[in-house]
Amino acid sequence: MTQDSQRRLVGADLQESEEAEAIVAAISAKHPEAVVRRSPGLVRVEVPERLEVRRDLVERFLNRNWDTQDFNLSIVSFFGEIEDWDEDHIVIGWSH
Amino acid sequence: MATSKMGLKETYRAMIRGLEWTPTYQPPEAIYPYHTFEGIKIHNWDDWEDPFRITVESYWKYQAEKDRRFYAILDGFIQSQGHLNISDARYLNALKLFLQGVTPLEYMAHRGFSQIARFLPGAAPAFAALAQSMDELRHAQTQLHAISPYNRYYSGFHSMRRWHDRVWYLSVPKSFFDDAVSSGPFEFLTAISFGFEYLLTNLLFVPFMSGASFNGDLTTMTFGFSAQSDESRHMTLGLEAVKFMLEQDEDNVPIVQQWIDKWFWRAYRVTALVAAMMDYMLPRRFMSWKEAFELYFEEQMMNGLFPDLKYYGINPPRHVAQAIAEKDYLSHQVYWVLYSFTYAAMFHTWVPEPQELDWLSQKYPGTFDRYFRPLFERAREAQAQGHRHYFAGLPQLCQVCQIPMAFTYPGEPIRHQQRASVYQGETYWTCSEGCQWIFEREPEKYIQAWLPVHEIFKGNCGGASVPEVLAWYGDQGDSGDYLDSQDRKHWIAWHEQVNQLV
Ligand SMILES: [Fe+2]
Ligand SMILES: [Fe+2]
């Protein structure tokens, strides 16, 4: 259990795949403090307070076009609240 | 296409908003009769926002892609004799529990959400519920397809529908869902979308899928991922539903709080079966129940979600401290119950191997060696002398969760709890403060429970003796210890054949 209650985490669990690796790389590029944990078949990324998946970063790591709605094919679970989801990014945070 | 000029948000608004209309032939309350009696006040249904912004077009597109991926892998699994590649045939007992206990709930969820889609007056929540209803039907179907290849080779897979309605431990998940669908629409959403999907579903699916992956079960892993990718949308619906009720009217807050208190405990008790499965039925283990509980419940929910809900005046679930206290011994208590009553269960149990007992000691340093290892070591000795330990007689069941009364006082791994409540001159027993609180809030509901042990004694289950009940279940060698099972014999024979060929 996280002892530091000031630092509320948000995060997402993705199924292991090349596309998920690119998404995780994009999240880590945007949030250098991101922590990546792995368990069989899964990759999980945790970020304090707010997590942003940016289309342009995912595309850079994938080397092809990526639709933010394709996130539906990789996501297994998340924690936090989906604050925004449009063509350019997906944001997970806590609103209060 | 011209429509691609509209952004995600505009497309969602154009496709989903304004779909409802004002009826003229009938009064609105005749068309939507169920959304007011629970006391929830809604002033503006348009305040509901689905962050996934899913439309019919994108829904079909993504679901079709998920199914294409799933069925391609399922074919490959069957063609490559995938059942021989799992870690050990003991693993399949986790799968049997899943097919018998969880898959029928997927189908019930399909029915429950189609009812919500029909009876909620707002277009946005109705569409989200409709999408979930279709998802749940897909989950039931893909699970049946994914697990059916094992039915050609192993026991415990052939009669899941019949068992779900009849077998004692399956009344635990069945009665949970029946409790939810027989409540009002807002309580149903709080129960299933929030209490189960948002708070606890990670504890069911994530360890189960990782377990499948680690134990070489390609087909289960794939349906798990495929189903769970819908789950994020379901979790969002749950959180959205709760926040929507809380934001619409302050009078909703105490009602929602009581539902959170009730449904956290109801759902948590169902996950007790998962706890036993995780710690005992996965031959290759990667995470203990306690670790999963700490990560997926304590860190994410207690440190993340509940501080957020504090803003609305919502507190963590009333009995959460008891759940946290139980994490050190819950899985051992429940597996011991399953082990003791396997003579009438449609799966096998066994004494863990010595190195597996060591793993449990290491994961549960405060409790395992002191309270539980001696039980299993004695059971192994007895079995070696030809006396496999079974509990003689039928257990008393909790009136609410329907689990045998094997739970103890919080923080005390071996002092048993039995709580009595009197209603209309009859005494009813519950396993914990949580279940007793739930019973006493709505005794008129829970006195109607179909308790398997009571029904056996009433003569409603084929007879009052174990062989008669097993015949009524349709047992075909599905019960008993793994060491004596057909599954084990076949597993050994097939692997000897494979080794000779290699
Ligand atoms: Fe489902
Ligand atoms: Fe109970």
Side-chain angles (χ1 to χ4, degrees), chain B residues 93-140:
Chain B
N93 294 288
L95 213 50
K96 295 173 193 178
L97 256 181
F98 193 94
L99 182 73
Q100 299 165 13
V102 179
T103 303
L105 300 191
E106 302 277 15
Y107 186 72
M108 282 306 288
H110 156 65
R111 296 179 61 186
F113 281 100
S114 60
Q115 184 157 335
I116 296 295
R118 163 62 182 82
F119 286 109
L120 281 190
F127 183 72
L130 178 67
Q132 179 158 355
S133 171
M134 293 187 282
D135 292 339
E136 303 294 4
L137 186 60
R138 189 177 85 85
H139 297 175

Side-chain angles (χ1 to χ4, degrees), chain B residues 398 401 431 435:
Chain B
C398 171
C401 69
C431 72
C435 283

Side-chain angles (χ1 to χ4, degrees), chain B residues 441-462:
Chain B
R441 220 178 131 255
E442 293 170 287
E444 65 287 352
K445 186 170 199 181
Y446 295 99
I447 61 169
Q448 302 174 56
W450 194 92
L451 292 174
V453 172
H454 289 200
E455 298 301 322
I456 289 171
F457 285 134
K458 282 197 249 169
N460 292 336
C461 305

Side-chain angles (χ1 to χ4, degrees), chain B residues 265-266 269 397-405 407 429-432 434-436:
Chain B
W265 190 259
R266 289 291 272 125
R269 270 290 181 252
L397 305 178
C398 171
Q399 190 75 27
V400 173
C401 69
Q402 307 205 4
I403 298 176
M405 302 266 283
F407 296 110
W429 297 91
T430 44
C431 72
S432 54
C435 283
Q436 188 176 35

Side-chain angles (χ1 to χ4, degrees), chain B residues 281-344:
Chain B
M281 292 185 170
L282 299 180
R284 287 186 205 131
R285 295 159 162 82
F286 63 97
M287 188 187 242
S288 67
W289 163 259
K290 182 183 174 185
E291 288 165 330
F293 188 83
E294 287 173 346
L295 181 63
Y296 290 109
F297 185 75
E298 289 187 77
E299 182 177 314
Q300 295 188 181
M301 301 306 155
M302 296 305 285
N303 291 351
L305 173 71
F306 282 102
D308 202 60
L309 292 179
K310 187 91 206 144
Y311 169 84
Y312 300 97
I314 290 291
N315 295 313
R318 180 183 288 249
H319 300 102
V320 73
Q322 299 180 28
I324 294 171
E326 285 183 352
K327 70 185 176 188
D328 280 309
Y329 47 83
L330 177 78
S331 64
H332 316 305
Q333 291 177 340
V334 175
Y335 186 76
W336 182 253
V337 168
L338 297 178
Y339 181 81
S340 306
F341 292 99
T342 309
Y343 60 82

Side-chain angles (χ1 to χ4, degrees), chain B residues 370-384:
Chain B
R370 187 157 168 213
Y371 302 109
F372 303 104
R373 187 192 269 265
L375 289 179
F376 289 112
E377 286 176 344
R378 272 206 304 278
R380 182 193 303 285
E381 270 169 45
Q383 191 172 17

